[in-house]
Amino acid sequence: TQSVSDKRKVGKLPATGIGYRPCPPRSCCGYKGYDVRHESEIQRAIIKRLSRQGYVAVAVPNGAHIAGGPQERARKVAAMKADGMMVGFPDLVVIGKFCVGFMEVKTDKGKLSPAQTMARKMLQDKGQKWALVRSQDDAVEALKEWGWL
């Protein structure tokens, strides 16, 4: 019988493995061949969970993956910033009845960038709810801490 960690290595995930996938051989996360939770998968699971709780979670596209050469990407980022994109802005805007909060999604080992730290400070200084979440349970716990549940 394979352990859960062994099943993850070969991509045979149990039902509790939501948010895991095998990394490609040349993985951007550096784990090469082992399953890790990717932020996008964690984020999708959080959006579904919050929806079941009666909240709307909206993803904020912040230009993380932009195609093209260096000059083309620089032009696209400049245009996106002119259109209102803010580097470091949280991944999710969570909307409830008469309430709005912000969640930054990270993997277990993920850390806030300096821009994300500045965005957190800016939002909190303006009296907004902000949370760093690494799982669906973290997102629900944030709602409880915010007094929404």
Side-chain angles (χ1 to χ4, degrees), residues 3 11-12 23 26 30 33 67-68 88-89 92 96-98 101 108-110 112-113 116 122 125-126 132-133 137 139:
S3 71
K12 298 177 183 174
C23 290
R26 291 186 178 185
F89 198 79
L92 296 174
K97 190 170 184 172
F98 306 112
D108 291 335
K109 295 183 180 183
L112 294 178
S113 70
Q116 290 167 332
M122 180 269 302
D125 286 351
K126 295 192 177 299
L132 172 63
V133 295
D137 292 339

Side-chain angles (χ1 to χ4, degrees), residues 21-39 41 107 109:
R21 70 172 175 181
C23 290
R26 291 186 178 185
S27 173
C28 61
C29 63
Y31 287 97
K32 295 183 181 148
Y34 290 89
D35 289 342
V36 296
R37 295 181 343 155
H38 292 268
E39 281 185 17
E41 293 177 76
T107 62
K109 295 183 180 183

Side-chain angles (χ1 to χ4, degrees), residues 54-56 94-101 148:
Y55 294 91
V56 175
V94 182
I95 305 165
K97 190 170 184 172
F98 306 112
C99 52
V100 176
W148 296 9

Side-chain angles (χ1 to χ4, degrees), residues 3-60:
S3 71
V4 172
S5 61
D6 288 337
K7 288 178 184 177
R8 287 189 178 128
K9 288 177 188 174
V10 296
K12 298 177 183 174
L13 305 178
T16 58
I18 294 172
Y20 288 83
R21 70 172 175 181
C23 290
R26 291 186 178 185
S27 173
C28 61
C29 63
Y31 287 97
K32 295 183 181 148
Y34 290 89
D35 289 342
V36 296
R37 295 181 343 155
H38 292 268
E39 281 185 17
S40 61
E41 293 177 76
I42 297 167
Q43 183 169 308
R44 290 178 192 134
I46 289 170
I47 290 169
K48 288 179 185 176
R49 175 81 173 268
L50 295 181
S51 176
R52 288 193 306 267
Q53 300 278 146
Y55 294 91
V56 175
V58 180
V60 177

Side-chain angles (χ1 to χ4, degrees), residues 42-43 46 50 88-94 100-107 112 116-117 119-121 123-124 127-148:
I42 297 167
Q43 183 169 308
I46 289 170
L50 295 181
F89 198 79
D91 297 311
L92 296 174
V93 177
V94 182
V100 176
F102 301 89
M103 293 184 180
E104 180 62 42
V105 180
K106 290 288 179 198
T107 62
L112 294 178
Q116 290 167 332
T117 300
R120 174 186 65 193
K121 182 178 181 343
L123 288 166
Q124 290 176 331
Q128 301 300 311
K129 305 291 186 188
W130 184 96
L132 172 63
V133 295
R134 298 176 189 278
S135 68
Q136 298 174 52
D137 292 339
D138 282 359
V140 171
E141 187 61 34
L143 296 180
K144 290 177 183 174
E145 289 176 10
W146 295 349
W148 296 9

Side-chain angles (χ1 to χ4, degrees), residues 78-89:
M80 291 169 74
K81 286 180 181 179
D83 291 340
M85 181 191 79
M86 180 179 163
V87 176
F89 198 79

